Amino acid sequence: AKQTGRNRFQFFTNSLQEHANNLMEMEQDLRLALEQNQLEIYYQPLVRAQSGRVTGVEALLRWHHPTQGMIPPDQFIPLAEDTGLIGPIGQWILETACRQVSQWHQQGLKFYLSVNISGRQRDLGLDAELLSSILERTELAAGQLVLEITEGMLLDNSDETIAWLQSFCDLGIHLAIDDFGTGYSSLSYLKRFPIDTLKIDREFIRELTLDNEDALLVEAIISMARSLKLRLIAEGVETAEQRSALFRLGCEYLQGYHFSRPLPADQLVNWIQAYQP
Ligand code: C2E
Ligand code: CA
Ligand code: CA
Ligand code: CA
Protein backbone atom coordinates (compact mmCIF):
# COMPACT_ATOMS: atom_id res chain seq x y z
CA ALA A 1 0.00 0.00 0.00
CA LYS A 2 2.92 2.24 0.87
CA GLN A 3 4.43 1.54 -2.52
CA THR A 4 1.22 2.46 -4.31
CA GLY A 5 0.96 5.58 -2.21
CA ARG A 6 4.42 6.67 -3.19
CA ASN A 7 3.81 5.89 -6.81
CA ARG A 8 0.65 7.81 -6.74
CA PHE A 9 2.44 10.72 -5.12
CA GLN A 10 5.12 10.48 -7.76
CA PHE A 11 2.46 10.56 -10.44
CA PHE A 12 0.80 13.50 -8.78
CA THR A 13 3.97 15.61 -8.57
CA ASN A 14 4.84 14.75 -12.15
CA SER A 15 1.54 15.95 -13.46
CA LEU A 16 1.67 19.04 -11.27
CA GLN A 17 5.13 19.74 -12.64
CA GLU A 18 3.87 19.18 -16.14
CA HIS A 19 0.95 21.48 -15.50
CA ALA A 20 3.29 24.17 -14.15
CA ASN A 21 5.54 23.80 -17.21
CA ASN A 22 2.60 24.13 -19.54
CA LEU A 23 1.48 27.26 -17.75
CA MET A 24 4.94 28.77 -17.93
CA GLU A 25 5.16 27.98 -21.60
CA MET A 26 1.77 29.48 -22.19
CA GLU A 27 2.73 32.60 -20.22
CA GLN A 28 5.81 33.04 -22.42
CA ASP A 29 3.65 32.55 -25.51
CA LEU A 30 1.08 35.03 -24.27
CA ARG A 31 3.77 37.64 -23.69
CA LEU A 32 4.81 37.25 -27.31
CA ALA A 33 1.24 37.14 -28.57
CA LEU A 34 0.68 40.82 -27.96
CA GLU A 35 3.97 41.85 -29.63
CA GLN A 36 3.49 39.55 -32.59
CA ASN A 37 -0.07 40.53 -33.36
CA GLN A 38 -1.55 37.14 -32.58
CA LEU A 39 -4.44 38.69 -30.71
CA GLU A 40 -7.55 39.70 -32.58
CA ILE A 41 -10.84 41.19 -31.52
CA TYR A 42 -14.07 39.65 -32.75
CA TYR A 43 -17.33 41.55 -32.57
CA GLN A 44 -20.75 40.16 -31.81
CA PRO A 45 -23.86 42.24 -32.54
CA LEU A 46 -26.39 43.20 -29.87
CA VAL A 47 -29.83 43.79 -31.31
CA ARG A 48 -33.05 45.43 -30.25
CA ALA A 49 -35.69 42.78 -29.64
CA GLN A 50 -38.47 44.81 -31.21
CA SER A 51 -36.92 46.04 -34.44
CA GLY A 52 -34.10 43.51 -34.71
CA ARG A 53 -31.71 46.38 -35.38
CA VAL A 54 -28.09 46.33 -34.27
CA THR A 55 -27.58 48.71 -31.34
CA GLY A 56 -24.17 47.60 -30.17
CA VAL A 57 -21.30 45.18 -30.53
CA GLU A 58 -19.41 43.28 -27.85
CA ALA A 59 -15.65 42.97 -28.29
CA LEU A 60 -14.47 39.40 -27.66
CA LEU A 61 -10.79 38.52 -27.62
CA ARG A 62 -9.28 35.75 -29.77
CA TRP A 63 -5.77 34.33 -29.73
CA HIS A 64 -4.37 32.80 -32.90
CA HIS A 65 -1.62 30.68 -31.40
CA PRO A 66 1.15 29.88 -33.94
CA THR A 67 1.12 26.13 -33.26
CA GLN A 68 -2.01 25.44 -31.22
CA GLY A 69 -4.45 27.33 -33.40
CA MET A 70 -7.25 29.38 -31.97
CA ILE A 71 -7.28 29.45 -28.17
CA PRO A 72 -10.59 30.60 -26.65
CA PRO A 73 -10.48 33.45 -24.09
CA ASP A 74 -11.71 31.26 -21.23
CA GLN A 75 -8.42 29.38 -21.57
CA PHE A 76 -6.01 32.29 -21.36
CA ILE A 77 -7.71 35.26 -19.71
CA PRO A 78 -7.37 33.68 -16.24
CA LEU A 79 -3.64 33.26 -16.94
CA ALA A 80 -3.43 36.85 -18.18
CA GLU A 81 -5.07 37.93 -14.93
CA ASP A 82 -2.75 35.86 -12.72
CA THR A 83 0.38 37.11 -14.47
CA GLY A 84 -0.68 40.74 -14.75
CA LEU A 85 -0.55 40.52 -18.55
CA ILE A 86 -4.22 41.51 -18.54
CA GLY A 87 -2.90 45.06 -17.91
CA PRO A 88 -1.25 45.64 -21.30
CA ILE A 89 -3.63 43.24 -23.08
CA GLY A 90 -6.69 44.97 -21.65
CA GLN A 91 -5.33 48.33 -22.70
CA TRP A 92 -4.68 47.04 -26.22
CA ILE A 93 -8.25 45.68 -26.41
CA LEU A 94 -9.75 49.02 -25.38
CA GLU A 95 -7.58 51.02 -27.73
CA THR A 96 -8.13 48.70 -30.71
CA ALA A 97 -11.86 48.24 -30.25
CA CYS A 98 -12.51 51.96 -29.64
CA ARG A 99 -10.55 52.82 -32.79
CA GLN A 100 -12.47 50.23 -34.83
CA VAL A 101 -15.90 51.34 -33.66
CA SER A 102 -14.97 54.99 -34.14
CA GLN A 103 -14.04 54.15 -37.75
CA TRP A 104 -17.37 52.40 -38.23
CA HIS A 105 -19.11 55.52 -36.93
CA GLN A 106 -17.30 57.56 -39.54
CA GLN A 107 -18.57 55.13 -42.18
CA GLY A 108 -22.11 55.72 -40.98
CA LEU A 109 -22.50 52.51 -38.98
CA LYS A 110 -23.87 53.64 -35.66
CA PHE A 111 -23.74 51.32 -32.68
CA TYR A 112 -22.08 51.35 -29.30
CA LEU A 113 -19.11 49.29 -28.13
CA SER A 114 -19.17 46.96 -25.15
CA VAL A 115 -15.84 45.78 -23.71
CA ASN A 116 -15.23 43.19 -20.99
CA ILE A 117 -12.94 44.31 -18.24
CA SER A 118 -11.32 42.33 -15.49
CA GLY A 119 -11.11 43.48 -11.87
CA ARG A 120 -7.36 42.95 -11.98
CA GLN A 121 -7.08 45.88 -14.38
CA ARG A 122 -7.82 48.24 -11.50
CA ASP A 123 -4.32 47.76 -10.13
CA LEU A 124 -2.75 47.55 -13.57
CA GLY A 125 -3.24 51.07 -14.82
CA LEU A 126 -6.86 51.14 -15.97
CA ASP A 127 -8.29 54.40 -14.70
CA ALA A 128 -10.35 57.35 -15.85
CA GLU A 129 -7.28 59.16 -17.11
CA LEU A 130 -6.26 56.28 -19.36
CA LEU A 131 -9.81 55.80 -20.61
CA SER A 132 -10.31 59.43 -21.42
CA SER A 133 -7.01 59.54 -23.32
CA ILE A 134 -8.02 56.42 -25.30
CA LEU A 135 -11.39 57.96 -26.12
CA GLU A 136 -9.70 61.15 -27.19
CA ARG A 137 -7.09 59.40 -29.35
CA THR A 138 -9.64 57.17 -31.03
CA GLU A 139 -12.29 59.89 -31.26
CA LEU A 140 -14.97 57.72 -29.75
CA ALA A 141 -17.64 59.46 -27.67
CA ALA A 142 -17.68 58.27 -24.06
CA GLY A 143 -21.41 57.60 -24.30
CA GLN A 144 -20.69 54.99 -26.97
CA LEU A 145 -18.60 52.85 -24.62
CA VAL A 146 -19.95 50.26 -22.19
CA LEU A 147 -17.68 48.39 -19.81
CA GLU A 148 -18.89 44.91 -18.84
CA ILE A 149 -17.98 43.81 -15.35
CA THR A 150 -18.96 40.71 -13.40
CA GLU A 151 -20.74 40.46 -10.08
CA GLY A 152 -17.59 38.99 -8.56
CA MET A 153 -15.83 42.31 -9.09
CA LEU A 154 -18.36 44.05 -6.90
CA LEU A 155 -18.09 41.50 -4.13
CA ASP A 156 -15.54 43.41 -2.12
CA ASN A 157 -18.05 46.24 -2.02
CA SER A 158 -15.16 48.53 -1.20
CA ASP A 159 -15.12 52.29 -1.49
CA GLU A 160 -12.12 51.97 -3.83
CA THR A 161 -14.04 49.81 -6.29
CA ILE A 162 -17.06 52.10 -6.18
CA ALA A 163 -14.89 55.19 -6.71
CA TRP A 164 -13.06 53.45 -9.55
CA LEU A 165 -16.28 52.61 -11.38
CA GLN A 166 -17.83 55.98 -10.55
CA SER A 167 -14.88 57.73 -12.19
CA PHE A 168 -15.76 55.96 -15.46
CA CYS A 169 -19.39 57.02 -15.19
CA ASP A 170 -18.27 60.58 -14.58
CA LEU A 171 -16.66 60.46 -18.02
CA GLY A 172 -20.00 59.39 -19.51
CA ILE A 173 -19.06 55.73 -19.97
CA HIS A 174 -21.77 53.16 -19.16
CA LEU A 175 -21.42 50.07 -16.99
CA ALA A 176 -23.06 46.68 -17.46
CA ILE A 177 -23.18 43.65 -15.18
CA ASP A 178 -22.21 40.57 -17.18
CA ASP A 179 -23.46 37.01 -16.54
CA PHE A 180 -26.15 38.44 -14.31
CA GLY A 181 -27.76 35.87 -12.02
CA THR A 182 -24.84 33.45 -11.85
CA GLY A 183 -22.85 35.24 -9.17
CA TYR A 184 -23.73 36.43 -5.76
CA SER A 185 -27.27 36.68 -4.64
CA SER A 186 -27.05 39.96 -2.76
CA LEU A 187 -28.50 42.55 -5.07
CA SER A 188 -27.62 45.48 -2.83
CA TYR A 189 -24.78 46.37 -5.20
CA LEU A 190 -27.37 47.41 -7.76
CA LYS A 191 -28.02 50.40 -5.56
CA ARG A 192 -24.44 51.06 -4.52
CA PHE A 193 -22.81 50.87 -7.92
CA PRO A 194 -23.43 53.16 -10.89
CA ILE A 195 -24.74 50.43 -13.20
CA ASP A 196 -27.19 50.92 -16.02
CA THR A 197 -27.33 47.57 -17.83
CA LEU A 198 -27.79 43.93 -16.84
CA LYS A 199 -26.88 41.05 -19.11
CA ILE A 200 -28.86 37.93 -18.18
CA ASP A 201 -26.55 34.94 -18.36
CA ARG A 202 -27.22 32.47 -21.14
CA GLU A 203 -27.72 29.74 -18.53
CA PHE A 204 -31.22 31.15 -18.00
CA ILE A 205 -31.92 31.56 -21.69
CA ARG A 206 -30.89 28.06 -22.73
CA GLU A 207 -33.94 26.27 -21.40
CA LEU A 208 -36.24 29.23 -21.53
CA THR A 209 -38.77 27.66 -23.87
CA LEU A 210 -38.60 24.22 -22.23
CA ASP A 211 -38.37 25.00 -18.58
CA ASN A 212 -41.08 26.99 -16.92
CA GLU A 213 -38.92 27.78 -13.89
CA ASP A 214 -36.36 29.54 -16.06
CA ALA A 215 -39.14 31.52 -17.69
CA LEU A 216 -40.33 32.64 -14.25
CA LEU A 217 -36.81 33.62 -13.27
CA VAL A 218 -36.27 35.60 -16.44
CA GLU A 219 -39.62 37.25 -15.94
CA ALA A 220 -38.62 38.24 -12.39
CA ILE A 221 -35.30 39.64 -13.60
CA ILE A 222 -37.05 41.60 -16.32
CA SER A 223 -39.53 43.17 -13.93
CA MET A 224 -36.77 43.96 -11.44
CA ALA A 225 -34.69 45.59 -14.16
CA ARG A 226 -37.67 47.60 -15.24
CA SER A 227 -38.41 48.95 -11.79
CA LEU A 228 -34.75 49.79 -11.24
CA LYS A 229 -34.70 51.44 -14.70
CA LEU A 230 -31.89 49.18 -15.88
CA ARG A 231 -31.37 48.21 -19.47
CA LEU A 232 -31.63 44.47 -19.98
CA ILE A 233 -29.80 42.26 -22.46
CA ALA A 234 -30.36 38.51 -22.85
CA GLU A 235 -27.20 36.59 -23.79
CA GLY A 236 -26.98 33.32 -25.65
CA VAL A 237 -30.11 33.63 -27.77
CA GLU A 238 -29.74 30.72 -30.17
CA THR A 239 -33.21 30.06 -31.56
CA ALA A 240 -36.18 31.92 -32.98
CA GLU A 241 -38.28 30.41 -30.16
CA GLN A 242 -36.03 31.92 -27.51
CA ARG A 243 -36.12 35.21 -29.33
CA SER A 244 -39.90 35.41 -29.40
CA ALA A 245 -40.21 34.16 -25.81
CA LEU A 246 -37.87 36.95 -24.68
CA PHE A 247 -39.73 39.49 -26.74
CA ARG A 248 -43.02 38.37 -25.16
CA LEU A 249 -41.49 38.64 -21.70
CA GLY A 250 -40.43 42.19 -22.47
CA CYS A 251 -36.65 41.85 -22.76
CA GLU A 252 -35.45 44.79 -24.81
CA TYR A 253 -32.07 43.68 -26.13
CA LEU A 254 -30.77 40.34 -27.38
CA GLN A 255 -27.41 38.78 -28.23
CA GLY A 256 -26.56 35.32 -29.49
CA TYR A 257 -25.82 32.89 -32.29
CA HIS A 258 -29.40 33.25 -33.53
CA PHE A 259 -28.33 36.64 -34.85
CA SER A 260 -24.61 36.15 -35.33
CA ARG A 261 -21.55 34.55 -33.82
CA PRO A 262 -18.72 36.89 -32.87
CA LEU A 263 -17.02 37.86 -36.15
CA PRO A 264 -13.73 39.45 -37.26
CA ALA A 265 -14.16 43.17 -37.98
CA ASP A 266 -14.45 42.92 -41.78
CA GLN A 267 -16.90 40.03 -41.60
CA LEU A 268 -19.05 41.93 -39.13
CA VAL A 269 -19.44 44.73 -41.65
CA ASN A 270 -20.44 42.22 -44.35
CA TRP A 271 -22.91 40.64 -41.97
CA ILE A 272 -24.51 43.98 -41.12
CA GLN A 273 -24.78 44.95 -44.76
CA ALA A 274 -26.52 41.68 -45.63
CA TYR A 275 -28.64 41.55 -42.48
CA GLN A 276 -32.38 42.04 -42.74
CA PRO A 277 -33.82 42.74 -39.28
P1 C2E B 1 -18.81 36.67 -21.89
O1 C2E B 1 -18.38 38.06 -21.65
O2 C2E B 1 -19.98 36.16 -21.13
O3 C2E B 1 -19.03 36.57 -23.45
C1 C2E B 1 -20.07 35.86 -24.06
C2 C2E B 1 -19.56 34.52 -24.53
O4 C2E B 1 -20.67 33.77 -25.01
C3 C2E B 1 -18.60 34.62 -25.71
O5 C2E B 1 -17.67 33.55 -25.59
C4 C2E B 1 -19.52 34.41 -26.91
O6 C2E B 1 -18.84 33.93 -28.04
C5 C2E B 1 -20.46 33.38 -26.36
N1 C2E B 1 -21.76 33.42 -27.01
C6 C2E B 1 -22.38 34.45 -27.61
N2 C2E B 1 -23.60 34.09 -28.09
C7 C2E B 1 -23.75 32.78 -27.78
C8 C2E B 1 -24.81 31.83 -28.02
O7 C2E B 1 -25.84 32.11 -28.60
N3 C2E B 1 -24.59 30.57 -27.54
C9 C2E B 1 -23.44 30.21 -26.88
N4 C2E B 1 -23.34 28.95 -26.48
N5 C2E B 1 -22.44 31.09 -26.65
C10 C2E B 1 -22.60 32.36 -27.09
P2 C2E B 1 -16.11 33.81 -25.78
O8 C2E B 1 -15.89 34.81 -26.87
O9 C2E B 1 -15.48 32.46 -25.90
O10 C2E B 1 -15.68 34.50 -24.44
C11 C2E B 1 -15.72 33.80 -23.23
C12 C2E B 1 -15.46 34.72 -22.06
O11 C2E B 1 -14.12 35.19 -22.07
C13 C2E B 1 -16.32 35.95 -22.06
O12 C2E B 1 -17.61 35.64 -21.60
C14 C2E B 1 -15.53 36.85 -21.15
O13 C2E B 1 -15.78 36.52 -19.80
C15 C2E B 1 -14.10 36.47 -21.49
N6 C2E B 1 -13.58 37.46 -22.45
C16 C2E B 1 -13.68 37.48 -23.80
N7 C2E B 1 -13.07 38.57 -24.31
C17 C2E B 1 -12.56 39.26 -23.25
C18 C2E B 1 -11.83 40.49 -23.12
O14 C2E B 1 -11.53 41.21 -24.08
N8 C2E B 1 -11.48 40.87 -21.85
C19 C2E B 1 -11.83 40.12 -20.74
N9 C2E B 1 -11.45 40.57 -19.53
N10 C2E B 1 -12.54 38.98 -20.85
C20 C2E B 1 -12.90 38.55 -22.07
CA1 CA C 1 -19.38 39.95 -21.70
CA1 CA D 1 -21.76 37.09 -20.34
CA1 CA E 1 -19.63 34.08 -19.29
Side-chain angles (χ1 to χ4, degrees), residues 8 27 56 69 75-76 93 105 107 127 157 189 199 204 206 226 233 237-238 252 261:
R8 210 180 282 146
E27 181 187 343
Q75 282 178 35
F76 66 90
I93 294 164
H105 286 180
Q107 295 164 20
D127 59 15
N157 220 0
Y189 63 78
K199 299 187 76 175
F204 299 103
R206 206 172 49 206
R226 194 172 287 147
I233 302 176
V237 181
E238 294 186 353
E252 261 186 281
R261 287 179 178 263

Side-chain angles (χ1 to χ4, degrees), residues 58 116 148 178-180 199-202 235 255:
E58 178 176 359
N116 295 286
E148 298 192 8
D178 205 354
D179 304 342
F180 182 74
K199 299 187 76 175
I200 314 178
D201 194 72
R202 67 167 179 267
E235 300 186 308
Q255 175 180 12

Side-chain angles (χ1 to χ4, degrees), residues 135 141-146 166-175 196:
L135 291 170
Q144 298 296 310
L145 179 61
V146 177
Q166 185 63 54
S167 71
F168 301 155
C169 292
D170 294 344
L171 293 176
I173 292 168
H174 299 279
L175 293 179
D196 49 42

Side-chain angles (χ1 to χ4, degrees), residues 42-77:
Y42 278 33
Y43 299 87
Q44 186 178 33
L46 295 124
V47 307
R48 266 200 104 99
Q50 191 165 20
S51 60
R53 294 178 74 131
V54 178
T55 58
V57 291
E58 178 176 359
L60 292 158
L61 190 60
R62 298 290 179 261
W63 179 8
H64 304 282
H65 191 282
T67 57
Q68 291 179 52
M70 175 92 90
I71 303 182
D74 288 335
Q75 282 178 35
F76 66 90
I77 288 194

